[in-house]
Amino acid sequence: MEQGSAREGARPAYAPGATPRTQEAEGRVPHQARGEASARGEHTHSEPPAPRVVRRHSVRGQILESLRAALVDGELIPGQVYSAPVLGGRFGVSATPVREAMQQLALEGAVEVVPNRGFRVTERGPRELAELAEVRALIEVPVMLRLARTVPVARWGVLRPLADATVAAAAVGDRASYAESDRAFHRAVLALSGNEQLVAIADELHRRSQWPLVSGPATRRADLLADAAEHTALLDALMAQDLTVVQALVREHFAGADG
């Protein structure tokens, strides 16, 4: 998993120790010459090869998503400390991308750094969940009411597959898949406002609300199904421009454990 230099293995353009004073060495390669070198597949100083760190970032991103799923599933237990090397062995990678992913989770508040030990999964109680629900309602309820009055019915219809995806994930009791499809549905609804900052903030609050409580019971499939059904009902109310039902459904949805 370690990354080498972008020029690793390349042959020197001249003998070691030599210092030729060519136009290329002095940074004065004619534009035409650079174009001809590029056409032959050769690299010039102005066109370095793509850095290999792209692959590393990809691995870190995959590990980050896997860790987020493990949090939602309850595989990472609140209050427990996990080391990067141990988690790296679980995922079959070195400790480095795991450590980087866990540091991102620390920024998000999902874990906290324990010096010389690893990362402790954050312990949350019902009060924090209630506070998140309140903040989400303050942000999203007014936006959804405005959208219900202004968005054409045809545009709401495009979101039906996203609502159906939450039902499908709930039907098999897949909490991680449900969490992702749940956020995807809410992001799509809020995206109709055209406010990217609002969507990003609401999505982060939504993600935090999905982390398990320190002593809460495991989410049952029946709970997921009930929550998913609220997505379908909310979409129907938005299409019908029934503002009373929209407001009631959104507030009830946020008060749920997985909304």
Side-chain angles (χ1 to χ4, degrees), residues 25-111:
E26 296 175 358
R28 298 197 301 270
V29 181
H31 178 76
Q32 181 179 0
R34 290 198 302 268
E36 292 173 353
S38 178
R40 294 194 300 270
E42 300 173 1
H43 292 297
T44 68
H45 288 289
S46 62
E47 297 174 324
R52 296 184 185 179
V53 291
V54 172
R55 172 184 291 182
R56 177 173 169 180
H57 285 301
S58 176
V59 171
R60 181 181 62 183
Q62 293 175 32
I63 296 300
L64 178 59
E65 291 307 309
S66 295
L67 289 171
R68 283 172 172 164
L71 279 169
V72 174
D73 274 338
E75 295 177 26
L76 296 181
I77 303 171
Q80 293 293 318
V81 177
Y82 297 89
S83 71
V86 170
L87 289 174
R90 170 179 171 179
F91 293 113
V93 299
S94 70
T96 299
V98 174
R99 187 175 294 108
E100 292 172 347
M102 291 296 271
Q103 288 169 344
Q104 175 60 39
L105 290 177
L107 292 175
E108 297 174 3
V111 302

Side-chain angles (χ1 to χ4, degrees), residues 52-213:
R52 296 184 185 179
V53 291
V54 172
R55 172 184 291 182
R56 177 173 169 180
H57 285 301
S58 176
V59 171
R60 181 181 62 183
Q62 293 175 32
I63 296 300
L64 178 59
E65 291 307 309
S66 295
L67 289 171
R68 283 172 172 164
L71 279 169
V72 174
D73 274 338
E75 295 177 26
L76 296 181
I77 303 171
Q80 293 293 318
V81 177
Y82 297 89
S83 71
V86 170
L87 289 174
R90 170 179 171 179
F91 293 113
V93 299
S94 70
T96 299
V98 174
R99 187 175 294 108
E100 292 172 347
M102 291 296 271
Q103 288 169 344
Q104 175 60 39
L105 290 177
L107 292 175
E108 297 174 3
V111 302
E112 58 183 358
V113 178
V114 181
N116 302 319
R117 292 184 60 194
F119 302 85
R120 178 185 289 113
V121 178
T122 301
E123 299 179 84
R124 303 185 318 129
R127 178 175 178 176
E128 182 178 346
L129 189 62
E131 291 174 348
L132 285 167
E134 181 180 7
V135 176
R136 291 184 65 200
L138 288 172
I139 293 175
E140 295 193 37
V141 169
V143 175
M144 289 194 184
L145 291 176
R146 174 166 59 84
L147 293 176
R149 293 190 295 266
T150 59
V151 174
V153 173
R155 295 192 68 184
W156 290 122
V158 176
L159 305 188
R160 183 69 64 181
L162 294 177
D164 293 342
T166 67
V167 176
V172 296
D174 188 336
R175 286 181 290 178
S177 294
Y178 179 81
E180 183 56 42
S181 60
D182 183 19
R183 292 200 312 277
F185 174 79
H186 282 266
R187 283 197 304 268
V189 171
L190 296 176
L192 294 175
S193 70
N195 189 327
E196 296 181 0
Q197 299 303 315
L198 181 146
V199 174
I201 292 172
D203 189 56
E204 177 61 23
L205 292 170
H206 194 166
R207 186 190 299 281
R208 288 172 179 262
S209 73
Q210 294 174 328
W211 299 335
L213 299 179

